[in-house]
């Protein structure tokens, strides 16, 4: 019985240790959200989500998806090395009205389930 408990404890500790290794993505934006605030339709709708690879392996952003065609995200083409920063640029089309959009980032990051993390933009576009 003691051997079984010891083996189980060793397996649990080992699996926790492995979960810590690999690339990790940490965004600078609070709650992974960029607030445009109140902006006019003539303003540039481009914003950058800055992130850092806080893990110990190269971070690869495989895809960045938007919930609609009014928001166009772009991702880095090259892997982000440990300790380095990167950015995901989001361009919103600035149609008057509220901004409430989600962008899904797919990567090999181990600190998010399946490497998927949701980014959000919010705000309001007003007429001049």
């Amino acid at each position: 019985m003691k051997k079984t408990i010891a083996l189980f404890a060793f397996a649990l500790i080992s699996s926790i240790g492995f979960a810590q290794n690999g690339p990790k993505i940490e965004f600078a934006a609070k709650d992974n959200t960029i607030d445009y605030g109140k902006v006019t339709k003539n303003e540039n709708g481009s914003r950058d989500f800055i992130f850092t690879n806080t893990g110990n392996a190269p971070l690869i952003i495989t895809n960045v998806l938007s919930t609609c065609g009014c928001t166009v995200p772009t991702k880095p083409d090259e892997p982000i090395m440990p300790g380095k920063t990167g950015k995901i640029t989001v361009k919103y089309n600035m149609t008057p009205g509220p901004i409430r959009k989600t962008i899904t980032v797919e990567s090999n990051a181990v600190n998010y389930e399946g490497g998927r993390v949701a980014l959000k933009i919010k705000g309001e576009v007003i007429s001049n």
Side-chain angles (χ1 to χ4, degrees):
M1 181 70 167
K2 287 182 183 179
K3 287 182 181 181
T4 305
I5 292 173
L7 183 60
F8 176 75
F10 177 75
L12 180 64
I13 292 169
S14 295
S15 67
I16 291 171
F18 287 123
Q20 302 298 332
N21 291 323
K24 296 179 183 175
I25 190 168
E26 299 289 338
F27 286 91
K30 183 180 178 187
D31 300 325
N32 297 345
T33 301
I34 289 182
D35 188 348
Y36 280 62
K38 285 193 177 190
V39 293
T40 66
K41 64 182 182 178
N42 297 332
E43 291 184 40
N44 182 348
S46 183
R47 301 292 189 273
D48 293 330
F49 282 93
I50 305 298
F51 63 88
T52 303
N53 178 359
T54 59
N56 59 7
L59 173 68
I60 300 168
I61 307 293
T62 55
N63 205 0
V64 182
L65 307 164
S66 173
T67 53
C68 74
C70 61
T71 309
V72 180
T74 57
K75 68 178 187 66
D77 294 327
E78 301 296 321
I80 307 301
M81 302 311 286
K84 300 296 182 185
T85 61
K87 70 178 177 177
I88 294 170
T89 301
V90 176
K91 174 89 169 140
Y92 184 71
N93 74 358
M94 303 306 277
T95 302
I99 303 170
R100 298 281 183 273
K101 303 296 175 193
T102 301
I103 298 94
T104 302
V105 177
E106 296 176 343
S107 73
N108 64 337
V110 297
N111 58 326
Y112 285 95
E113 186 175 340
R116 295 173 61 104
V117 58
L119 305 177
K120 297 181 187 212
I121 59 172
K122 66 180 185 176
E124 182 181 4
V125 180
I126 57 174
S127 298
N128 296 9

